């Protein structure tokens, strides 16, 4: 399989966070962004993370990204995309709530971004991912799935739309009326849900294979998707079971005003392989190492099973890692040939990597 490199060539930011105007030419290999606290390193990564569906690596509101005192921001990226040379422009105006995205001059939706590139990130906030809510782990997994299935983002958005429709019908008309219309919506929900769940499971299977083969000092993890049903009834397909669950939960959902069952409640369950312990019960250092191990395996499986490689954003990743692990990670990053953006306040400790990198000083 021929791996196509996807990488940014240059970009400009205007009124984004603390950055009034910034124009950067970048390397298609490793880029290290160095600067003191508060200089804008994470903000640069955040602007790149917005080249994927959702609200970026801080899950922030677009309003908050507007430089204080301004009422709009804009980012322009020139890149070698999955579909060749491209310019992706995003702008946001306070009055308009949503961001506008264009690809080579044509308007696109954020879920379409995965047709052009993928971005994976690791931030210090993600180190606590195993102890937070399932929704954060689910989003983390879904971002990895985007790499394997460019339709995944679109499906999630359609799924959410149909679930909202069902909630609306249940709220306005009650669960005993409109049964045929509810049936139509639930069929659509089921179709998207099964495809989403299968895509998540396939990505997990590929990542698990990579984890089991990867030779690093990072602990191996066992990955699982939580069960959709407590038990699947004999003779019923997954899809029929799913529809039955939806049907059975109409009354409850009508009362609750939300969908109590579905793939929007799935959890990504991680266990420390050697210790046979749930990741959330591991120490802080073990959790960080497990997270890195999962990221490395996801990159490895993406490289093995897709034509395109993601862009990697690593915010302060090397902090608190011992020398051995820093070296292994540096070695791995340079060997993958992925375009990588690393932030640090100091090159000390990663001199080896810095020698092979483009240094961007803020
Ligand atoms: N909307 C905004 N307008 C102006 N400044 C902002 C805005 N949002 C955040 N900032 C400020 O921008 C600065 C840069 O933040 P950023 O997180 O990018 O810094 P950093 O270089 O990553 O720092 P650290 O090394 O501490 O992680 C901070 O001082 C932050 O308070
Ligand atoms: Mg930072």
């Amino acid at each position: 399989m021929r791996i196509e490199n996807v990488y940014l060539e240059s970009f400009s930011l205007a009124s984004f966070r603390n950055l009034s105007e910034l124009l950067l030419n970048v390397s298609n290999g490793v880029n290290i962004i160095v600067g003191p606290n508060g200089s804008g390193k994470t903000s640069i990564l955040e602007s790149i993370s917005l080249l994927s569906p959702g609200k970026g690596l801080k899950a922030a509101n677009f309003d908050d990204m507007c430089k204080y005192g301004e009422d709009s921001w804009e980012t322009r990226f020139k890149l070698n995309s999955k579909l060749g040379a491209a310019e992706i422009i995003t702008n946001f105006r306070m009055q308009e709530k949503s961001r506008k995205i264009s690809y080579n001059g044509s308007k696109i939706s954020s879920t379409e971004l995965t047709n052009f590139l993928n971005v994976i990130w690791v931030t210090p906030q993600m180190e606590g991912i195993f102890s937070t809510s399932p929704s954060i782990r689910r989003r983390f997994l879904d971002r990895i799935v985007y790499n394997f299935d460019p339709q995944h983002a679109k499906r999630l958005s359609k799924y959410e739309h149909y679930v909202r429709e069902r909630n609306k019908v249940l709220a306005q008309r009650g669960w005993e009326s409109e049964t045929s219309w509810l049936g139509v919506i639930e069929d659509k929900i089921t179709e998207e849900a099964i495809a989403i769940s299968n895509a998540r499971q396939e990505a997990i299977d590929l990542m698990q294979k990579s984890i089991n083969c990867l030779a690093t000092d990072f602990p191996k993890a066992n990955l699982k998707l939580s069960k959709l049903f407590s038990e699947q009834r004999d003779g019923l397909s997954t899809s029929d079971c799913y529809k039955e669950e939806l049907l059975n939960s109409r009354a409850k959902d009508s009362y609750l005003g939300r969908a109590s069952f579905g793939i929007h409640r799935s959890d990504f369950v991680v266990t420390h392989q050697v210790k046979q312990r749930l990741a959330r019960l591991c120490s802080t250092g073990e959790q960080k190492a497990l997270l890195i191990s999962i990221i490395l395996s996801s990159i490895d499986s993406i490289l093995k099973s897709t034509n395109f490689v993601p862009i990697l954003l690593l915010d302060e990743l090397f902090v608190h890692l011992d020398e051995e692990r820093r070296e292994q990670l540096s070695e791995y990053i340079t060997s993958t040939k992925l375009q990588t953006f690393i932030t640090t306040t100091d090159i000390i400790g990663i001199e080896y990597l810095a020698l092979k990198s483009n240094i961007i000083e803020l």
Side-chain angles (χ1 to χ4, degrees):
M1 193 181 294
R2 201 164 80 91
I3 304 271
E4 302 282 345
N5 257 359
V6 172
Y7 55 89
L8 308 179
E9 288 167 349
S10 64
F11 57 90
S12 66
L13 311 178
S15 303
F16 189 84
R17 297 278 184 190
N18 63 322
L19 306 160
S20 309
E21 291 279 342
L22 183 80
L23 174 66
L24 283 179
N25 289 312
V26 293
S27 148
N28 60 4
V30 180
N31 296 275
I32 302 182
I33 307 171
V34 198
N37 296 134
S39 54
K41 305 179 295 296
T42 304
S43 303
I44 294 178
L45 296 196
E46 185 182 36
S47 73
I48 303 173
S49 71
L50 292 173
L51 290 172
S52 60
K55 297 195 299 185
L57 59 72
K58 280 187 165 172
N61 293 326
F62 296 129
D63 293 41
D64 292 341
M65 298 170 198
C66 240
K67 189 170 193 301
Y68 301 145
E70 305 286 339
D71 59 4
S72 67
W73 56 262
E74 184 176 88
T75 66
R76 288 171 178 259
F77 290 88
K78 288 216 165 80
L79 67 152
N80 191 43
S81 78
K82 294 181 189 179
L83 299 179
E87 183 173 37
I88 297 183
I89 303 177
T90 300
N91 47 52
F92 174 83
R93 285 184 184 75
M94 290 275 205
Q95 313 93 295
E96 288 169 7
K97 293 276 167 266
S98 65
R99 60 170 165 156
K100 290 204 166 68
I101 310 171
S102 71
Y103 162 78
N104 287 352
S106 305
K107 192 171 174 256
I108 58 165
S109 69
S110 71
T111 56
E112 287 177 277
L113 283 166
T114 51
N115 294 322
F116 307 111
L117 78 162
N118 292 105
V119 189
I120 287 186
W121 58 83
V122 189
T123 68
Q125 290 72 26
M126 283 163 67
E127 288 164 23
I129 196 170
F130 304 116
S131 315
T132 52
S133 69
S135 67
I136 300 207
R137 284 186 290 280
R138 206 168 44 241
R139 248 179 273 144
F140 169 69
L141 173 64
D142 284 331
R143 278 200 304 275
I144 294 172
V145 179
Y146 294 162
N147 289 273
F148 298 102
D149 180 3
Q151 294 310 309
H152 192 64
K154 190 110 211 157
R155 280 211 192 96
L156 283 167
S157 146
K158 272 167 114 180
Y159 171 83
E160 283 161 14
H161 167 75
Y162 294 136
V163 169
R164 278 195 302 273
E165 278 298 301
R166 178 175 177 271
N167 290 346
K168 229 190 283 171
V169 175
L170 286 173
Q172 290 170 355
R173 317 260 172 96
W175 63 279
E176 282 168 309
S177 61
E178 297 292 341
T179 49
S180 61
W181 181 223
L182 278 170
V184 171
I185 301 175
E186 287 172 1
D187 282 355
K188 288 187 182 296
I189 290 177
T190 304
E191 189 185 330
E192 301 304 335
I194 301 295
I196 290 166
S197 190
N198 288 344
R200 285 174 179 163
Q201 189 58 55
E202 277 165 32
I204 285 181
D205 291 344
L206 290 168
M207 283 157 69
Q208 189 69 60
K209 249 195 216 160
S210 288
I211 287 184
N212 297 342
C213 301
L214 267 184
T216 65
D217 261 7
F218 290 95
K220 293 184 187 300
N222 281 336
L223 313 178
K224 245 177 54 187
L225 197 58
S226 64
K227 276 187 181 168
L228 266 180
F229 320 101
S230 43
E231 59 183 66
Q232 186 156 344
R233 291 231 313 274
D234 286 345
L236 274 192
S237 67
T238 313
S239 166
D240 288 340
C241 272
Y242 200 97
K243 279 183 207 168
E244 196 174 87
E245 287 281 342
L246 286 174
L247 181 68
N248 293 340
S249 57
R250 280 182 193 173
K252 183 178 169 189
D253 292 355
S254 164
Y255 173 74
L256 291 174
R258 60 182 154 80
S260 57
F261 162 79
I263 52 103
H264 60 282
R265 302 189 48 137
S266 299
D267 195 358
F268 177 41
V269 185
V270 177
T271 318
H272 192 299
Q273 228 178 61
V274 175
K275 301 206 164 171
Q276 292 283 305
R277 189 176 297 150
L278 281 172
R280 76 179 157 81
L281 301 175
C282 290
S283 73
T284 321
E286 285 170 336
Q287 291 190 12
K288 174 164 186 168
L290 276 171
L291 175 69
I292 295 175
S293 162
I294 294 171
I295 292 289
L296 298 187
S297 70
S298 66
I299 293 167
D300 193 61
S301 50
I302 291 163
L303 291 175
K304 282 182 182 144
S305 47
T306 68
N307 289 329
F308 299 104
V309 294
I311 293 170
L312 194 56
L313 311 178
L314 307 175
D315 196 16
E316 308 287 347
L317 185 69
F318 291 88
V319 177
H320 304 313
L321 286 184
D322 59 37
E323 200 179 328
E324 178 88 2
R325 283 184 169 169
R326 272 204 304 265
E327 272 175 23
Q328 279 191 6
L329 206 50
S330 303
E331 194 74 56
Y332 187 82
I333 290 167
T334 39
S335 73
T336 58
K337 307 246 184 293
L338 261 62
Q339 185 178 43
T340 307
F341 293 85
I342 297 171
T343 65
T344 184
T345 49
D346 210 324
I347 295 290
I348 295 169
I350 51 168
E351 294 91 342
Y352 164 80
L353 188 60
L355 282 177
K356 302 179 174 184
S357 308
N358 173 41
I359 310 287
I360 299 165
E361 280 189 67
L362 291 186

